[in-house]
Amino acid sequence: MSLESWKNDPNFTQSELWQAVFASKNLGVFWKDRDRRFLGVNDYFLSYYDLELPDVLGKTDEEMGWNEQVDRFKNIEEKVLEDGQGQITWGTTVARGKSRGKSRTIIAYKEAIYRERQIVGLLGFFSDVSQ
């Protein structure tokens, strides 16, 4: 289903769909500027890393120090910001919430955010797939 068909879907508004994703209890949602600095995250993200919003705003993943494959995540984000193609990746992160500092495997998807046909940032999602 294309975005255009969602705009015209009589069953759900874009706002309702976004709210469902954003309020997810099992999906981390975040968005960043072109310098890969966090501009916002959802509640699951904050809970997963045991953070408050001011702890993450304006920082990069490297400054947060939670990804164990720093270069992998950085390179994927730079590629998304350069060519606009969505990317999926996996890696390990140190969760600070329920897992209390244990390494966890996550899968992440990142997509470019456009304004007037220019890439202005990225939107990302992650899910913990650890066994």
Side-chain angles (χ1 to χ4, degrees):
M1 180 179 279
S2 72
L3 182 58
E4 285 304 312
S5 64
W6 281 7
K7 286 180 183 178
N8 299 316
D9 187 333
N11 298 303
F12 303 106
T13 66
Q14 283 183 304
S15 177
E16 290 168 332
L17 293 170
W18 173 245
Q19 183 58 35
V21 170
F22 194 75
S24 174
K25 302 293 186 220
N26 296 305
L27 185 66
V29 181
F30 57 92
W31 52 102
K32 297 179 175 184
D33 64 18
R34 284 209 46 98
D35 295 321
R36 301 180 42 256
R37 297 191 174 281
F38 286 95
L39 297 175
V41 301
N42 72 343
D43 287 340
Y44 175 81
F45 185 108
L46 293 173
S47 174
Y48 188 83
Y49 288 108
D50 195 23
L51 296 170
E52 299 292 326
L53 190 56
D55 298 331
V56 71
L57 292 181
K59 297 190 174 114
T60 64
D61 286 331
E62 296 82 79
E63 291 170 311
M64 297 306 297
W66 48 40
N67 292 328
E68 295 178 353
Q69 292 84 15
V70 175
D71 290 337
R72 178 185 297 160
F73 286 98
K74 181 179 180 181
N75 292 341
I76 289 289
E77 290 184 356
E78 288 174 345
K79 183 167 177 46
V80 169
L81 291 165
E82 177 68 26
D83 67 20
Q85 297 295 312
Q87 298 287 321
I88 192 166
T89 191
W90 66 272
T92 51
T93 188
V94 179
R96 298 178 184 148
K98 296 176 186 174
S99 296
R100 300 280 181 225
K102 294 181 184 173
S103 289
R104 306 289 295 173
T105 301
I106 61 170
I107 189 164
Y109 179 74
K110 298 169 184 186
E111 186 69 58
I113 300 172
Y114 289 86
R115 181 179 302 130
E116 298 175 5
R117 293 190 269 174
Q118 297 293 317
I119 298 172
V120 295
L122 65 85
L123 174 66
F125 306 92
F126 78 87
S127 183
D128 188 316
V129 294
S130 301
Q131 299 296 325

